[in-house]
């Protein structure tokens, strides 16, 4: 008998029983080792998680998902010979590659998140420690209608940093109580005022999580280090993994001298973004969030601002 050769059908290319367009089809939680170069510094090695998607037209049953893995691997192999300095650029390159491999797709989306270690020194003794910061990046590429080789790309870079906040409202209550008690003990009013100026009153604290993301066109780069520093400076105090007693004193005193509501943190971040990024284009999308894990309540406090950079500049500069 002659051998029979069968051509396997391309099941993904067949027509679905319910022909509707799908916004995202892909794979999630793909873990890869990523090396990011730094000028005049040692490279950073990140254990990163990727979510990778393309859109799917109504006349196609499925996407060729293996091409998503091929796109990531190809770009990461390229990194070995061509240095990559920004994680958002890495996502952009993968999105480009996805559209090249999925000829039926009009848009591709890549999301990446990693834990990033930053070196810090405690505020009093200068003890060296490492702090974990969550960083993330995204890129979306849309195929041009007139030129099949043109892709409109948007990039997003962001970070989430843990800090500490002190409640202004409870502190004002304690200030009033302290002033009343000192007055009943016969302390003069001027002395009470001086004392309250020097010694911050007790209040309840929160572990705060500040989040900033900046979405820009493909030809503009945003400093991740600057984003991290802005978030850290926008809460009542930074927190540290290792502290001696004198360090604890500084952290607690700093936080209580700088009490902030969750709304204050978001507005401070917005102000610092405008100051730190004067060249950021007006159409950049700025998303700022603050989540405070309350210590005397079961709920968390939340505040958010989403705006274009031009709108944010106008609001802040008009004050």
């Amino acid at each position: 008998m002659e051998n029979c050769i069968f051509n396997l059908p391309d099941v993904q290319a067949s027509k679905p029983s319910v022909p509707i367009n799908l916004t995202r089809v892909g794979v999630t939680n793909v873990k890869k080792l990523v090396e990011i170069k730094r000028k005049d510094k040692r490279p950073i090695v990140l254990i990163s998680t990727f979510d990778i998607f393309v859109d799917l037209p109504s006349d196609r049953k499925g996407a060729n998902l293996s091409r998503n893995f091929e796109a990531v691997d190809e770009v990461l192999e390229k990194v070995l010979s061509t240095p990559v300095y920004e994680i958002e650029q890495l996502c952009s390159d993968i999105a480009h590659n996805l559209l090249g491999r999925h000829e039926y797709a009009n848009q591709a989306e890549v999301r990446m998140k990693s834990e990033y270690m930053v070196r810090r020194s405690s505020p009093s003794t200068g003890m060296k420690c490492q702090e974990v910061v969550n960083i993330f990046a995204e890129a979306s590429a849309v195929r041009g209608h007139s030129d099949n080789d043109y892709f409109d790309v948007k990039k997003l870079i962001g970070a989430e940093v843990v800090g500490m906040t002190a409640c202004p409202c409870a502190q004002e209550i304690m200030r009033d109580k302290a002033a009343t008690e000192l007055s009943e003990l016969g302390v003069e009013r001027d002395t009470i005022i001086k004392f309250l100026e020097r010694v911050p009153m007790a209040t309840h604290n929160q572990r705060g999580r500040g989040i900033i993301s900046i979405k820009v066109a493909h030809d503009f780069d945003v400093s991740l280090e600057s984003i991290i520093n802005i978030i850290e400076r926008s809460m009542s105090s930074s927190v540290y993994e290792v502290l001696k007693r004198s360090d604890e004193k500084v952290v607690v005193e700093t936080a209580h001298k700088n009490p902030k509501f969750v709304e204050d943190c978001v507005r401070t971040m917005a102000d610092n973004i405008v100051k730190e990024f004067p060249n950021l284009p007006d159409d950049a999308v700025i998303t700022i969030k603050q989540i405070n894990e309350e210590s005397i309540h079961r709920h968390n406090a939340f505040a958010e601002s989403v705006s274009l950079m031009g709108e944010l500049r106008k609001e802040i500069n008009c004050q």
Side-chain angles (χ1 to χ4, degrees):
M1 287 182 63
E2 293 182 0
N3 293 329
C4 294
I5 300 175
F6 296 97
N7 291 321
L8 294 175
D10 186 352
V11 179
Q12 287 99 333
S14 63
K15 189 173 181 179
S17 57
V18 181
I20 64 168
N21 295 315
L22 300 181
T23 306
R24 292 186 184 91
V25 175
V27 292
T28 63
N29 203 37
V30 178
K31 294 189 182 298
K32 293 290 181 180
L33 202 62
V34 176
E35 182 175 313
I36 303 297
K37 306 293 184 181
R38 295 190 298 173
K39 296 175 182 177
D40 303 323
K41 294 182 180 180
R42 290 186 300 175
I44 300 169
V45 178
L46 303 171
I47 299 176
S48 304
T49 302
F50 290 89
D51 296 337
I52 310 150
F53 309 104
V54 294
D55 67 325
L56 192 68
S58 60
D59 61 354
R60 190 175 178 90
K61 188 177 183 67
N64 300 98
L65 296 185
S66 62
R67 297 179 185 179
N68 291 10
F69 296 97
E70 293 168 0
V72 175
D73 288 336
E74 181 177 303
V75 172
L76 292 180
E77 284 298 319
K78 182 182 176 183
V79 168
L80 298 177
S81 57
T82 306
V84 168
Y85 293 96
E86 295 91 17
I87 57 175
E88 68 272 29
Q89 184 59 49
L90 177 65
C91 291
S92 174
D93 292 343
I94 296 173
H96 268 93
N97 201 309
L98 284 171
L99 285 185
R101 292 176 180 274
H102 295 273
E103 67 283 350
Y104 48 81
N106 287 317
Q107 59 186 34
E109 185 178 348
V110 179
R111 303 171 185 169
M112 171 187 171
K113 56 184 178 181
S114 301
E115 288 187 337
Y116 176 49
M117 302 300 294
V118 294
R119 295 183 179 275
R120 293 290 182 262
S121 299
S122 60
S124 178
T125 62
M127 289 186 63
K128 303 296 182 183
C129 56
Q130 293 183 344
E131 307 293 340
V132 176
V133 173
N134 293 321
I135 61 174
F136 53 91
E138 296 179 12
S140 60
V142 179
R143 198 185 301 276
H145 297 293
S146 58
D147 184 354
N148 203 45
D149 294 329
Y150 171 75
F151 303 145
D152 181 28
V153 178
K154 293 287 190 298
K155 300 186 300 183
L156 179 148
I157 182 72
E160 176 181 323
V161 181
V162 174
M164 173 183 176
T165 58
C167 177
C169 185
Q171 188 176 62
E172 193 60 35
I173 295 171
M174 297 305 295
R175 280 176 58 89
D176 183 68
K177 177 175 174 55
T180 301
E181 293 289 341
L182 289 169
S183 179
E184 290 179 355
L185 290 171
V187 180
E188 294 182 358
R189 184 174 182 277
D190 289 345
T191 304
I192 294 174
I193 293 174
K194 290 179 181 178
F195 174 79
L196 295 177
E197 288 174 348
R198 294 185 183 184
V199 181
M201 290 295 99
T203 186
H204 68 94
N205 308 127
Q206 303 87 21
R207 176 175 291 178
R209 290 185 285 130
I211 304 166
I212 291 175
S213 69
I214 299 177
K215 187 175 184 178
V216 293
H218 71 281
D219 57 349
F220 196 93
D221 297 323
V222 178
S223 167
L224 183 60
E225 292 287 347
S226 295
I227 290 176
I228 293 171
N229 289 333
I230 286 172
I231 300 173
E232 286 186 326
R233 300 198 314 265
S234 298
M235 287 181 258
S236 297
S237 173
S238 298
V239 294
Y240 302 85
E241 190 66 24
V242 180
L243 292 172
K244 293 292 188 181
R245 287 187 177 182
S246 60
D247 296 313
E248 290 185 16
K249 172 185 174 297
V250 172
V251 170
V252 172
E253 188 173 40
T254 298
H256 285 72
K257 283 186 174 181
N258 187 31
K260 287 193 172 185
F261 290 122
V262 65
E263 300 92 339
D264 295 323
C265 296
V266 170
R267 287 172 171 142
T268 303
M269 282 188 268
D271 188 48
N272 286 330
I273 287 171
V274 170
K275 292 174 181 175
E276 189 78 21
F277 298 111
N279 298 321
L280 205 60
D282 285 345
D283 61 354
V285 181
I286 312 298
T287 303
I288 309 168
K289 300 177 185 179
Q290 180 74 19
I291 305 165
N292 285 352
E293 299 173 359
E294 294 281 6
S295 59
I296 63 171
H297 305 293
R298 293 185 181 274
H299 59 259
N300 295 337
F302 176 87
E304 179 181 33
S305 167
V306 181
S307 62
L308 297 177
M309 186 64 181
E311 298 170 349
L312 203 57
R313 282 197 186 98
K314 188 178 297 183
E315 277 193 291
I316 291 174
N317 292 334
C318 283
Q319 296 176 17

